[in-house]
Amino acid sequence: MNRLNKHAIAELPKDVVLPSYDRTQLNAGIVHLGIGAFHRAHQAFYTEAVLNKFGGDWGIIGSSLRSASVRDQLVPQDCLYTLVERSGEGEKLQLIGAVLDTLVGPENPAALVAQMAADNIKIVSLTITEKGYCHDPATGNLNLNHPDIIHDLAHLDKPVSAIGFLVSALKQRFDNNQKAFTLLSCDNLPNNGEVLEKVVCQFAEKIAPAFAQWIKTNATFPCTMIDRIVPATTDEDRREIEARLGLRDEGMVVCEPFSQWVVEDKFADGRPEWEKVGVLLVEDVRVFEKIKLRLLNGAHSTMAYTGYLSGFDYISEVMEQPAFVNLVKTYMAREAGETVTAPAGFDIEAYKQQLRERFSNKALKHRTWQIAMDGSQKLPQRLLETLREQLQGNGHIDILCLGVAAWIRYVSGVDEKGNAIEVSDPLAKELRVACDANQGNPAGMVHAVISIEKVFGRDLINEARFVTTTTQWLERFYAKGVLASVQDAFQ
């Protein structure tokens, strides 16, 4: 089967939406760090819409900071790929042409730094996941003991971390008296732009205080809120689209029809006209971010841990269980719902209903295991900040504690049938040690895990109501299983 490429566009079925601009005349204006499926289904999708409507030199140079897999998917097909929107009503296929090249950081760090430092690049955006910020999630400070940060401070010409690449490129611009670029975080972190600015400036301060001050004065770090469900692409997905296209597309991505992007309008050197293709440009992202992180992401993580431990592979399967539907409804109305305030004109009850419908989309095979990854980095903003707010006001914490208990049960590394769980988490070893040392003692396990300051800070171990309720849930999980425990409480 022939591979998708620029010469094969004419062979595509007539129902595939094609780029309307002249791709041969497109120049790059954006470098994106972490060009995984989410970026291709979200930010590149919006940039493609701008190019289709208005043109402009806003092509994207993608980069991978770990493996060459995405480069090997995209470059042989001229960085073209199919975006597949799936719902119960069928599929919509769109060919995305906004990505012009994909680099692999570890193969040639200097080439990626030079690309970011080039004058034509106005924006460097990121989807590197929470752990890519090399920070302490409990404090937001740069982790100066992180191996990648230690390496990059000593070898700024050959960085390995996203933070190192950003600082290295900014240093070249500083040294050459160039303009700074906009650093656009698109990861699920509260105040993500502020987090990025903090770690970048803390790193730069170690290089030279005057350089750090130049960054603060000239670069900008807009906060953003991103939302689209994008499951990992499977071989089955590729086979299905190959049959539809008559061409092999290794770079295809699958997503839901819904998409949302809210961006703080704070750019150092121009930006695409994203606001004309559905992006909400605002002065303050925080209210939207808080609603999304607490209602969507908090529910998603809770469903991922409880659902996985209950034997469900996909989120849509979890939402077929009445008890889990009631759990999610209660969580949205109570634990999370009590801590968010909708902006004027925003129907938050309709938003909650829409979330539940999105979770139930059977056309999307969104694995519970995928959502469960990197919980030590995700829980602080998805559950623990809500928990702190509820504790302060003596509010509801029961389902928040359930979510934390399910995570602890998950990171113990052994499921209810005695099978090993493949725990993908930067703190997996530390968490496993804490759990193994307290086998058969849920109270001891909770105490050991909550004592890990990098996740829980120093305060939560002293919150008796939180510790007690989390312990009670973990005891139930070990006594009767997660599914039975959820059914007993929410059926």
Side-chain angles (χ1 to χ4, degrees), residues 8 22 28 32 80 100 125 189 207 238 242 266 280 309 373 386 398 408 414 429 442 450-452:
D22 184 353
H32 184 81
L80 294 164
L100 299 179
S125 53
L189 290 164
I207 304 299
R238 294 187 182 94
E242 181 178 325
K266 186 173 69 173
L280 189 61
L309 292 165
M373 295 171 65
T386 311
D398 191 49
I408 294 172
V414 180
K429 290 182 180 178
I450 295 176
S451 296
I452 298 175

Side-chain angles (χ1 to χ4, degrees), residues 363-487:
L364 283 186
K365 300 296 185 183
H366 204 184
R367 299 183 69 89
T368 52
W369 182 84
Q370 181 189 355
I371 301 164
M373 295 171 65
D374 301 330
S376 67
Q377 311 297 298
K378 294 175 178 177
L379 256 65
Q381 57 267 10
R382 295 188 177 196
L383 296 179
L384 301 186
E385 285 307 306
T386 311
L387 174 70
R388 287 185 172 93
E389 194 168 324
Q390 288 288 53
L391 285 169
Q392 189 174 24
N394 198 31
H396 292 97
I397 66 168
D398 191 49
I399 298 176
L400 294 163
C401 295
L402 177 154
V404 173
W407 175 69
I408 294 172
R409 179 71 183 83
Y410 178 85
V411 298
S412 72
V414 180
D415 69 16
E416 294 177 4
K417 296 179 180 178
N419 299 318
I421 300 172
E422 184 186 349
V423 177
S424 178
D425 192 289
L427 301 183
K429 290 182 180 178
E430 184 174 349
L431 292 163
R432 182 64 184 268
V433 168
C435 292
D436 283 351
N438 291 280
Q439 284 299 325
N441 178 12
M445 193 178 292
V446 168
H447 189 275
V449 172
I450 295 176
S451 296
I452 298 175
E453 290 184 13
K454 286 173 283 190
V455 181
F456 292 91
R458 298 180 179 181
D459 56 326
L460 291 178
I461 191 64
N462 298 313
E463 294 285 352
R465 190 157 69 102
F466 165 56
V467 175
T468 299
T469 309
T470 303
T471 300
Q472 289 170 346
W473 275 115
L474 191 59
E475 288 172 343
R476 285 184 233 175
F477 293 162
Y478 275 108
K480 59 172 60 177
V482 173
L483 179 58
S485 298
V486 171
Q487 289 173 334

